[in-house]
Structures are given as structure tokens and as C-alpha cells.
Amino acid sequence: MIRSDRGRRASTVAAACLSLLLLLLAWVGGDGGGGLGEGNSQGVWSGVGRFSQPAVPAARQASRVAIIPIDGKLSRFMAVSVQRRLAQAAEAGADAVVIELKNAEAQLGAVFDVLDAVKNSPVPNTVAWVRGPVTGPKGVVALACREIVADGQATLGDLLPRPRSNRSNTNHGSLATQLFGEALEAAQRRGWDELIVWTMAFGGDRLWLVEETATGRRMLATEAEVRAIGGATPAAQTPDLAPVTDSKSTRAWLQSGSGSQSIPSSQRAPLTQADAGKYTIVKYVTSGERPVALDQSQLQQYGLSVRGISSDEEIATFFGAGKVVRLEMAGAERIAEFLNQPVVRGVLIAVFLLAMLMELSQVGTFVPGAIAACSLILLIAPGAIAGLANWWALASVVLGVILIVIEIVVIPGFGIPGVVGLVLLFAGLVFTFVPGGSQVFGHMDNRDTLAAGLVTVVLSAATAIFAFFYVMRHVGTIPLLEKYILRSPTPEETGDSVLRAMEPPPSEAAPLGAIGRTATPLGPAGRALFGDIMVDVVAQRDYIDADVAVRVVSVDGLRIEVVRADEPPPAQRNA
């Protein structure tokens, strides 16, 4: 009766866990609960505020505008979400898309993914809305859009990633120059002054703002160009653009010889002595010591931003739009991103390993096995569904678990399957931290992620092992676990206290060589019936199901070890 009650409780718990997990996976795999599924083009615009449509340039005009916020760290999950929302905006009939940028945090791989999505957007009318500080690689996303608008708190600049040390790092140089190439190409495509992009990325030369006398056109000029058109270098005063405070300039790092990659060259035509007298110097712009970041007014002054905008209503006015809708990151995408956080993954790995160890130590308990399975699915499902997991890493984890189970349950001992299983399991868990479809060791983001994954798995494994030994030592005193430990029924539960007192000792009821039948599964401890007497026994080797004939092979005080009755004696096995 005790075992039956426990089994029902275990089945109930496992069924509840499985049901919740299936609901979560269905949510993650679907439209994320956002109510913005495919084919719902009218639903996107239903209930959206309508605005008046003032006259705007024809190239910018749009009747339906979709705002896509990137309001947190630009991670690989956020990049996948942006790609989905761009496609959704196009399907819903949007005429323009606004990429709302709010902070500087970004992963390099995710930045390149979003750059590709924006440049190949099915809605070509893209505008970056800079809200607050947007520096580092995330700022290049703003430059990739067709136009830029900014609010009063906006800051844009300091575009390139910082080297983590002054040691040689070819990969960093390659990524920095590739990212700068994206920014420079955007400037050339939009007709912006290339030198402003250079100084936002590297710093470099001292720059002045000059104005063409005949046309009033303004542009930046280097120190050499200022000497060519003016005959002398004017005295440097306080620069208009203040450098960022970080002293580890990427340009200084590259110029030191550590970077082996060449910097893309500018395509602008330089000013020469032939232009002398045609330009006047307006002001000193930057010392070039470090990269710069521009605020809202400076973005407009140097031609990067076309207007200051602080609200969705102003966005509608900017486009002359009648409808504006926000396409937020879906709830399921946020859950998947949360589950992919290093701390959360570390907890899931520790729970998975602890539950797996407990299930393998007490085969047939089932609840720890169900918890381990749920933890493993929560660990790998978000990345797999989003296409951000390497299939071979997932296969390594599954194969490792299978080999470990075979080693413990099928062929007792610890040999080659167990060692190989542990290696595959450990390696697979580490490599699940690396996004799929990318170079594992060739990308700076991936190397850092791989190192973080290694540390996380080691700490989680150590935590799981410590917790396992603690639980095994105190399992009888832990309220939630003592219910699942086999115990003899009390006289009050059985009502046979007098008969129990008259029973012979276990060693007499089950002497060496006696044949009985298991009343409960032996995993390894359990109970067997010898005649009419119930005896506590221990399986000597394998897990033994209930209602299986067993034979006593060892009697040591109160410890009685049994094997399957049809198993040959050791002498016959050795023969």
C-alpha cells in the first residue's frame, strides 16, 4: 500500500511537470502569446490610434508605421525576435519600420545579424530612433537605417568594441574593421560626411568644420586639409565634440601593432590647395585622441539625425502616418531569453545533474528522472527552437546521458561507456552555450561564451555533486524526499503487531539460497516475500522489478542480498 501510494504521487507530480512543460514549449514554438500570429495583418492595426497626416517628403511618407523596440541587451535571441518582427511588419502591410534603440548593451554576433536584417528588410523605409545612450557596436545598427531621429536623451557614437587587453588579438581587429566597414558603407550610401563616422569609430585626426563660401555646404576637414585651404593650422581651442572617457581606444590598439587587419579606407575627395579661398573655418571639432559620441543637437548639426522626436505621436507626424503600432518582443521570446541567461542555465544544469544522479542511485523512483528530463528540455529547447543551438552539442548531451544510464543500469561497474558518457555530457553542456551556425573558436563572442560556459558547467557540476551527497546523507530527514524512501509499515498501518512479533528473524525467514518473490522493485533496496514472511532485501547487482523470483546469495546480520532466481551461481558464470 505504501509503495502504491508513493507511485501514484510520483505519477501525479511527473504528469503535472510534463503538462506544464508541454504548454511552455507550445507557447515558445507558437506566436509567443503576443497575439500577432502570421496572417493576422488586420489584427496588427486593430485598435491603433489614428493620427492626422501632414505633408512629408514622398520618400519618407508612410500611412502605416511599425515600431520595433530593442529595449534591452541586443542578444542573439533579441536578433531572432527583430528578424521575426520585421517579417511580421511587412506581412501586416507596414510602409515604414522604426528601430527603437535604448541602450548600449549588445553581442557582436547579434549586431551583425540585425545589420543583415535591416539592410535586407522587406520594408525598405527604415528609421532608427535613438533614445538614450546608444554607443558601441549597437550604434552601427542606427547608421544602417535610411534615416535617424533622436530624443533629448540620445547619445550616439564610440562605435567599435573595446579590446579586452593590449595583447595581440587578430580576431578583434577583424571584427572591428568589419564593423567599421558597415558604418562607412552606410555613410557612403546615405551621403553623410565620412569623417564624422571615422571620428565616432576611431578618433584619429584633428578635425575642423569648414563651410563652402559659394554654396554654404558644410563638411569636416583634417588638419592637413585645413593647412591646404588656409595656409596655416589655426590654434586649437576647446573641441566641439568631447572624446569618450574610455582610454582603451580601438584605434590606438590597432595602431600599436597588435591588430593585423587593415582599416577600410575613405572614399571622400580630400581638400587641396586648389580649394584655397573657397572655404572658411567654422570651428574646431575634435582632437582625435579618442572616439566621440554625439548628443541630439550634435547629431542634427553634423547631418546624421534629421529631427528630434520624443513620442509615438511625433513619429506619426514625422511619417505623415495614420496608424502607428508597436511590435514588442513576444512573451515566449522573453522567457527563452531569460532561460538562456548564464545564471539560469547554471541552475538548470545543477538541477539536471542532481536529479539524474538521484534517479540513477534509486532506479525506478521516477520523479527525479522526470525533473532531470524537464530541466534538460528547459536547458536546450529555447536555443533549439530559435535555431541558436548546435545540433551536435544537443546530440552529445543526449548520447552522454544514454551511455551513463547503460553503464549504471545495464552493465554495472564503471568502464568505457561511463567515461565516454561523462565526457560527451560535459562537452555537450559546455558547447550548448555557443550559438549554432557560427565558428566555435574563431569568433571573439564565441570564445568568451565558451569560456563562460565552461566555468558555468564546472560550478554547476560541483554544486550538483555536493548537493547529491548531502541529500543522500540526510534523505530521511528531508520532508519532501522521505516520502519516497522505502520503509517497513508500522504496526498501526498493518494492524498485525502481534503477528509481526511472532515472526522469525529475517535471517531465518530468508536463509542463504532461499527463493522468494519481490513485493516491490529493488533499486537496490526493497522488499521480498519468502513464504508468508515479508523481508527487507537489497539487490546485489541489477535493478529488479516487482513480482520477480529472487534467490538469497548473502546474509550479513540484517542485510540480505538477493539476485534473480534464474541467474546462475558465480562458479557457473565464471565457467
Side-chain angles (χ1 to χ4, degrees), residues 408-453:
I408 294 178
V409 177
V410 180
I411 46 177
F414 201 76
I416 294 178
V419 174
V420 174
L422 284 176
V423 172
L424 288 175
L425 176 60
F426 185 85
L429 289 174
V430 171
F431 282 105
T432 55
F433 283 77
V434 180
S438 60
Q439 291 181 320
V440 175
F441 299 103
H443 196 290
M444 182 173 66
D445 264 6
N446 289 347
R447 290 208 301 266
D448 293 342
T449 302
L450 193 63

Side-chain angles (χ1 to χ4, degrees), residues 285-555:
V285 175
T286 176
S287 64
E289 295 177 359
R290 299 189 187 99
V292 299
L294 286 68
D295 60 25
Q296 181 197 38
S297 62
Q298 292 168 338
L299 286 170
Q300 291 184 245
Q301 180 183 353
Y302 290 97
L304 295 180
S305 173
V306 295
R307 186 177 300 180
I309 290 181
S310 301
S311 66
D312 291 7
E313 289 77 9
E314 292 179 10
I315 285 288
T317 302
F318 177 76
F319 286 101
K323 298 178 181 178
V324 176
V325 65
R326 284 181 169 270
L327 300 182
E328 300 286 350
M329 192 176 186
E333 292 169 338
R334 294 189 183 278
I335 291 175
E337 187 173 39
F338 170 76
L339 292 175
N340 202 55
Q341 297 296 318
V343 174
V344 178
R345 288 174 66 85
V347 172
L348 288 174
I349 291 173
V351 172
F352 162 67
L353 294 176
L354 173 60
M356 186 180 69
L357 288 172
M358 292 183 64
E359 177 66 27
L360 294 177
S361 67
Q362 296 287 334
V363 178
T365 310
F366 188 70
V367 172
I371 294 175
C374 292
S375 300
L376 183 60
I377 292 174
L378 291 176
L379 185 65
I380 65 179
I385 293 173
L388 297 178
N390 291 296
W391 67 266
W392 47 267
L394 305 183
S396 177
V397 172
V398 174
L399 183 58
V401 172
I402 292 174
L403 289 176
I404 292 174
V405 171
I406 291 174
E407 179 70 31
I408 294 178
V409 177
V410 180
I411 46 177
F414 201 76
I416 294 178
V419 174
V420 174
L422 284 176
V423 172
L424 288 175
L425 176 60
F426 185 85
L429 289 174
V430 171
F431 282 105
T432 55
F433 283 77
V434 180
S438 60
Q439 291 181 320
V440 175
F441 299 103
H443 196 290
M444 182 173 66
D445 264 6
N446 289 347
R447 290 208 301 266
D448 293 342
T449 302
L450 193 63
L454 179 62
V455 173
T456 301
V457 172
V458 169
L459 292 178
S460 298
T463 302
I465 292 172
F466 173 81
F468 172 72
F469 283 108
Y470 178 86
V471 169
M472 290 296 101
R473 184 178 180 87
H474 302 87
V475 65
T477 63
I478 301 177
L480 294 179
L481 297 179
E482 59 90 17
K483 300 177 182 179
Y484 300 98
I485 302 302
L486 291 174
R487 60 182 178 83
S488 300
T490 63
E492 289 76 12
E493 293 172 326
T494 61
D496 60 350
S497 57
V498 176
L499 294 177
R500 293 282 292 177
M502 297 172 61
E503 291 180 354
S507 58
E508 295 182 12
L512 191 63
I515 301 296
R517 184 166 292 275
T518 57
T520 67
L522 307 185
R527 309 189 74 199
L529 192 64
F530 291 86
D532 297 328
I533 300 176
M534 191 73 70
V535 179
D536 293 326
V537 297
V538 176
Q540 190 180 61
R541 281 185 294 274
D542 302 341
Y543 168 81
I544 302 176
D545 288 320
D547 197 26
V548 173
V550 292
R551 183 179 71 255
V552 178
V553 295
S554 174
V555 178

Side-chain angles (χ1 to χ4, degrees), residues 159-244:
L159 300 176
L160 299 186
R162 292 282 168 261
R164 288 170 173 77
S165 68
N166 292 322
R167 295 177 297 178
S168 176
N169 189 327
T170 302
N171 182 254
H172 175 85
S174 174
L175 291 172
T177 52
Q178 184 179 351
L179 195 62
F180 175 68
E182 294 281 354
L184 187 60
E185 189 269 337
Q188 294 168 351
R189 187 171 65 251
R190 307 303 181 199
W192 296 327
D193 194 324
E194 293 180 23
L195 285 182
I196 193 65
V197 176
W198 275 79
T199 195
M200 290 168 69
F202 296 120
D205 296 324
R206 294 199 296 172
L207 298 178
W208 281 261
L209 182 67
V210 298
E211 181 178 292
E212 189 174 16
T213 306
T215 64
R217 181 176 66 94
R218 291 188 172 188
M219 61 181 293
L220 294 177
T222 65
E223 185 174 356
E225 291 174 331
V226 169
R227 285 199 303 267
I229 63 176
T233 302
Q237 301 175 348
T238 302
D240 184 47
L241 302 179
V244 296

Side-chain angles (χ1 to χ4, degrees), residues 112-146:
F112 285 112
D113 290 343
V114 172
L115 284 174
D116 289 339
V118 170
K119 290 192 298 182
N120 300 307
S121 171
V123 183
N125 190 4
T126 57
V127 173
W129 188 7
V130 181
R131 310 194 69 179
V134 178
T135 55
K138 196 173 184 179
V140 181
V141 174
L143 299 181
C145 295
R146 189 179 61 82

